[in-house]
Amino acid sequence: LSELSLRFGLSINILHGKIEYIGNQALGVMIALLLPPRPRGLEPEAARLIDPLAQALTFLRKNTARVEVLHG
């Protein structure tokens, strides 16, 4: 999560997390709120071209087992 925040400029709030072990295998669930940075000095149309949330979701999908967007 810290890499997401640094790489994409997101604010991240962890709302829930749980880890269970089945044998020696960890299985975890995390619910987090990802908030994009507020564009400064960009025209509204230019700001729409930059989508850090979409970039962050792509990154997460490549680096985790499963990502689900609950609202968005």
Side-chain angles (χ1 to χ4, degrees), residues 7-64:
R7 185 179 287 213
F8 303 107
L10 302 176
S11 293
I12 300 173
N13 295 310
I14 298 171
L15 304 176
H16 174 76
K18 183 177 182 180
I19 298 174
E20 294 182 16
Y21 288 90
I22 300 173
N24 291 330
Q25 184 69 37
L27 175 65
V29 174
M30 180 179 293
I31 299 173
L33 175 64
L34 280 61
L35 300 171
R38 294 185 182 157
R40 295 184 183 137
L42 291 177
E43 295 297 322
E45 294 207 14
R48 282 189 211 110
L49 296 175
I50 303 168
D51 191 354
L53 285 177
Q55 294 172 342
L57 286 173
T58 298
F59 178 84
L60 278 173
R61 286 184 173 114
K62 288 181 180 177
N63 293 286
T64 60

